[in-house]
C-alpha cells in the first residue's frame, strides 16, 4: 500500500506517518527529514537547500523529484511507502505520476489532514523530537509520560528544528497555500482524495486514517 499525506506544516503528517509505519509495516518517506540529513552531512545538496529551508521556502522541484525517484527504488519501499512532505507542488505531483507509472506502482490513498492555519503556529513552535530515535513530541499536546525521557527509547536528549520559529512558520504556511494547496484539487479530480479532521486529537486522527487505509 502506498499513501500520500497532505497538509500544511503542523498538520500531523509526521506524527501519523510514524504511527502508520508501525501499524502497517510500510515506510515513512519524509522529504523534510531527508533534506535535514543532507544539511547535517554538509553535502552539496544540503548546502544548497539550507538557506531555502531556513527561509521557509520550497527547495527546487528538480532536487526533490530526483531524491524521491531514487528513494522509492530502494528495497525497503517494496512493501509500500507513506509520502510525508512530497509532492508539494504541481510539477512534483506530475513527476510522481510518471515515476510511479514507470515502475508499475500506484498510490492507494491520498489523505488530506484538514486543519485551521491559526492553530498551526502553536503546534510548530511547541514541537520537539527525541534526538536518539526521532519520536515526535509537543510541549503541550504530546508530552513524554516522564518529563525529559523519551517514551520510546528512554533517551534524554531532544532537539528542535531551526525552522520551527514563528516567523518561518508563517512563510511556510504561505508557501503551502500558494504552492501546495492546489495539488489537493489535482487529487480530488483524480478521485483519490480523502479528508480527515486534523484538528481532532492525535488518537482520533489515527483512527480516521486507519478507517481509510483498512
Ligand atoms: P507535520 O509533520 O505535518 O509538520 P507533526 O506531525 O510534526 O506535523 O506535528 C506537529 C506538532 O503537533 C508535533 O509537536 C505533534 O506532537 C503535534 N501534533 C500532531 N498531531 C496533533 C493533533 N492531532 N493534535 C495536537 N497536536 C498534534
Ligand atoms: P513540515 O513537517 O513542517 O511540513 P518538512 O519537514 O516537511 O516540514 O519540510 C521542511 C522544509 O523542507 C520545507 O519548509 C522545505 O523548505 C523543504 N521541503 C521538504 N519537502 C519538500 C518538497 N517536497 N518540496 C520542496 N521543499 C521541500
Ligand atoms: Zn527516543
Amino acid at each position: 500500500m502506498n499513501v500520500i499525506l497532505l497538509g500544511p506544516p503542523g498538520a500531523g503528517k509526521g506524527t501519523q506517518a510514524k504511527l502508520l509505519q508501525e501499524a502497517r509495516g510500510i515506510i515513512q518517506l519524509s522529504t523534510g527529514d531527508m533534506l535535514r540529513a543532507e544539511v547535517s552531512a554538509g553535502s552539496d545538496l544540503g548546502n544548497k537547500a539550507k538557506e531555502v529551508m531556513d527561509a521557509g521556502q520550497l527547495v527546487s522541484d528538480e532536487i526533490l523529484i530526483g531524491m524521491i525517484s531514487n528513494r522509492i527504488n530502494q528495497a525497503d519501499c517494496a512493501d509500500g511507502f507513506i509520502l510525508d512532505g512530497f509532492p508539494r507542488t504541481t510539477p512534483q505531483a506530475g513527476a510522481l505520476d510518471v515515476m510511479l507509472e514507470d515502475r508499475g506502482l500506484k498510490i492507494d490513498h491520498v489523505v488530506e489532514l484538514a486543519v485551521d492555519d491559526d492553530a498551526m503556529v502553536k503546534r510548530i513552535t511547541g514541537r520537539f523530537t527525541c534526538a536518539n530515535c526521532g519520536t515526535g513530541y509537543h510541549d503541550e499536546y504530546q508530552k513524554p509520560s516522564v518529563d525529559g525521557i523519551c517514551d520510546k527509547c528512554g533517551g534524554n536528549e531532544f532537539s528542535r528544528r531551526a525552522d520551527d520559529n514563528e516567523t518561518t512558520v508563517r512563510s511556510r504556511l504561505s508557501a503551502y497555500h500558494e504552492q501546495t494547496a492546489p495539488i489537493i484539487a489535482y487529487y480530488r479530480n483524480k478521485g483519490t482524495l480523502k479528508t480527515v479532521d486534523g484538528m481532532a486529537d492525535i488518537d482520533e486522527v489515527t483512527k480516521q486514517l486507519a478507517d481509510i487505509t483498512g
Side-chain angles (χ1 to χ4, degrees), residues 13 31-32 36 57 59 64 85 88 92 127 161 172:
K13 303 180 298 295
T31 46
R36 283 184 289 279
Q57 289 162 3
V59 176
L64 270 293
R88 242 176 167 101
Q92 290 179 22
R127 167 161 70 183
R161 280 166 46 179
R172 287 157 60 200

Side-chain angles (χ1 to χ4, degrees), residues 7-10 13-14 30-33 35-36 49 52-54 56-61 64 84-89 92 124 127 161 163-164 172:
K13 303 180 298 295
S30 158
T31 46
D33 286 350
L35 288 167
R36 283 184 289 279
V52 180
M53 293 171 76
D54 285 343
Q57 289 162 3
L58 295 184
V59 176
S60 78
D61 287 335
L64 270 293
D84 160 12
F86 184 94
R88 242 176 167 101
T89 64
Q92 290 179 22
I124 292 286
R127 167 161 70 183
R161 280 166 46 179
D163 60 344
D164 278 353
R172 287 157 60 200

Side-chain angles (χ1 to χ4, degrees), residues 111-115 194-199 204-205 208-209 212:
V111 184
E112 176 201 8
L113 300 174
V115 291
K194 282 132 197 160
T195 301
V196 307
D197 175 15
M199 293 310 293
E204 173 59 26
V205 179
Q208 288 187 25
L209 198 55
I212 289 169

Side-chain angles (χ1 to χ4, degrees), residues 7-8 23 29 43 52 55 68 74 76 80 83 92 102-103 114 117 134 136 139 145 161 163-164 184 186 196 211:
L29 303 183
S43 68
V52 180
I68 282 292
Q74 290 170 23
D76 59 353
L83 293 174
Q92 290 179 22
D102 285 350
R103 292 162 175 82
D117 257 32
D139 291 328
S145 30
R161 280 166 46 179
D163 60 344
D164 278 353
I184 290 178
Y186 176 80
V196 307
D211 287 345

